Amino acid sequence: MKGPLFYSKILLFGEYGIIKDSKGLSIPYNFFKGALKTDDHPSKAARKSNLGLREFAGYLELVHKNSPDLVDFDFEALKDDIAAGMYFDSSIPQGYGIGSSGALVAAIYDKYAKNKITVLENLTRDKLLRLKRIFGKMESFFHGKSSGLDPLNSYLSIPILINSKEDIESTSIPSQNLDGKGAVFLLDSGSTGETAPMVQLFMEKMKQEGFRNMLKDQFIKHTDACVEDFVNGNVKSLFGNLKQLSHVVLDNFKPMIPAKFHELWKHGIETNDYYLKLCGSGGGGYILGFTQDVDKAKKALKDYNLEVVYNF
């Protein structure tokens, strides 16, 4: 058995902000992917994944018991496949902020959900929100609290525009200019980040009035502007807002930025060679970068592995 492929995602804008109703923009990233599989001679990683799926299936039974109207699965088939050694074969690095658990959730829903909403039907806002709710519930097994966006992106494999918590839509983004010098890139921090403790830290900070005001008046304002600019292809305005956003993150989200990147972050803002921002919850994994001149950025970040994901 080899299931369909589910891809990683990149939340270009909206990390943390979407918890408090900022705009967001999430795009599929087809470089990494995963699929459900069984092997006659499973590796150690496959056996570990299989154990994880066993626990996940137990959790999904609880979800169905507590919210029977939300989602139901073919538990018999799921358990039989797990007993036969099914695992999630994935190249998506875990703890890197690009949706490893989201792809797994999408794969399980796709194969075992009853009355599932399919990619082929007319995806109304209500259907998208319902999917997001289902996926949020499913992915909470991995993160403690999930927006459901990562699995939604992986499942549909199209860019998702988040206008607010209750208003999401599929969207198109300007097609890439492969000869362009501008780029969005990923920077490998060399360590993994854990989502749950980072989100917990954010929630603690939210208890401070000053932090809440900063989030509303600066972070969300610049995030929303970046989303508008990116979707509409306003590159000049986008980089102005990105600089502001990068600054706000450096000043207020330091614990989420690996320490060795604090200087690099600052250097980008001071030289305008590139601007860095969090990719997912931070704490490690990938860092997201934007540049108007990819050669300059590569030179400035020559000690790091830089992976271009989109060209302007």
Side-chain angles (χ1 to χ4, degrees):
M1 179 186 63
K2 188 172 181 182
L5 293 172
F6 291 90
Y7 297 104
S8 53
K9 63 83 217 178
I10 295 173
L11 183 62
L12 284 180
F13 303 104
E15 71 292 342
Y16 292 109
I18 50 175
I19 298 174
K20 291 293 158 200
D21 256 2
S22 79
K23 283 184 184 288
L25 180 64
S26 184
I27 61 170
Y29 181 41
N30 298 358
F31 187 73
F32 296 114
K33 50 197 168 291
L36 292 167
K37 265 188 175 181
T38 48
D39 283 344
D40 291 340
H41 304 289
S43 65
K44 194 178 170 185
R47 288 197 296 271
K48 189 180 170 191
S49 169
N50 176 259
L51 280 175
L53 285 180
R54 202 167 294 230
E55 284 177 35
F56 188 40
Y59 168 79
L60 293 179
E61 282 187 304
L62 274 177
V63 166
H64 175 62
K65 199 173 153 193
N66 295 332
S67 317
D69 297 337
L70 183 66
V71 63
D72 191 13
F73 296 93
D74 184 345
F75 286 111
E76 204 174 317
L78 175 58
K79 286 175 168 173
D80 285 350
D81 287 343
I82 291 169
M86 182 177 75
Y87 66 100
F88 190 58
D89 183 25
S90 170
S91 66
I92 308 169
Q94 291 185 352
Y96 262 68
I98 57 170
S100 55
S101 57
L104 166 59
V105 165
I108 293 287
Y109 177 84
D110 180 63
K111 190 165 173 60
Y112 300 102
K114 293 180 176 176
N115 309 315
K116 71 178 182 184
I117 296 168
T118 72
V119 184
L120 300 172
E121 60 196 81
N122 179 17
L123 288 167
T124 61
R125 191 162 291 173
D126 285 350
K127 284 179 184 171
L128 282 173
L129 281 172
R130 183 169 171 77
L131 268 177
K132 184 173 172 282
R133 260 198 308 278
I134 291 167
F135 288 150
K137 205 64 173 160
M138 289 173 72
E139 201 185 30
S140 292
F141 173 75
F142 301 96
H143 293 326
K145 187 175 176 18
S146 161
S147 69
L149 270 171
D150 288 6
L152 185 65
N153 206 295
S154 191
Y155 184 62
L156 301 175
S157 218
I158 48 176
I160 306 282
L161 175 64
I162 303 109
N163 294 306
S164 68
K165 267 191 194 131
E166 294 303 313
D167 182 0
I168 57 173
E169 56 186 302
S170 59
T171 189
S172 59
I173 56 174
S175 51
Q176 296 198 55
N177 171 12
L178 293 173
D179 300 323
K181 292 180 82 170
V184 182
F185 60 87
L186 291 174
L187 208 55
D188 189 342
S189 73
S191 62
T192 56
E194 292 256 344
T195 300
M198 289 293 131
V199 173
Q200 206 176 340
L201 191 64
F202 174 76
M203 291 308 193
E204 279 301 310
K205 281 175 167 283
M206 283 300 290
K207 291 174 184 171
Q208 304 159 16
E209 192 187 350
F211 187 83
R212 284 199 304 275
N213 290 340
M214 174 282 303
L215 200 77
K216 186 170 92 243
D217 301 338
Q218 297 176 52
F219 186 77
I220 289 178
K221 185 179 102 177
H222 297 311
T223 295
D224 288 0
C226 283
V227 171
E228 297 269 335
D229 287 340
F230 193 94
V231 170
N232 295 314
N234 300 331
V235 175
K236 194 166 185 254
S237 174
L238 170 67
F239 276 89
N241 283 308
L242 271 167
K243 183 172 185 170
Q244 302 281 354
L245 183 59
S246 187
H247 217 304
V248 171
V249 174
L250 182 61
D251 290 346
N252 299 282
F253 289 82
K254 268 215 169 82
M256 286 81 166
I257 303 170
K260 64 179 179 185
F261 284 90
H262 291 182
E263 279 307 310
L264 275 182
W265 205 285
K266 203 167 132 201
H267 180 76
I269 296 167
E270 286 168 355
T271 60
N272 299 314
D273 286 351
Y274 57 86
Y275 302 128
L276 300 179
K277 66 183 290 297
L278 295 172
C279 180
S281 55
Y286 283 118
I287 288 166
L288 203 49
F290 292 77
T291 180
Q292 284 178 286
D293 187 334
V294 74
D295 294 331
K296 267 189 184 172
K298 280 181 174 167
K299 211 166 143 186
L301 300 163
K302 62 181 188 306
D303 299 336
Y304 294 90
N305 187 10
L306 191 144
E307 185 81 51
V308 173
V309 297
Y310 183 92
N311 289 94
F312 293 108

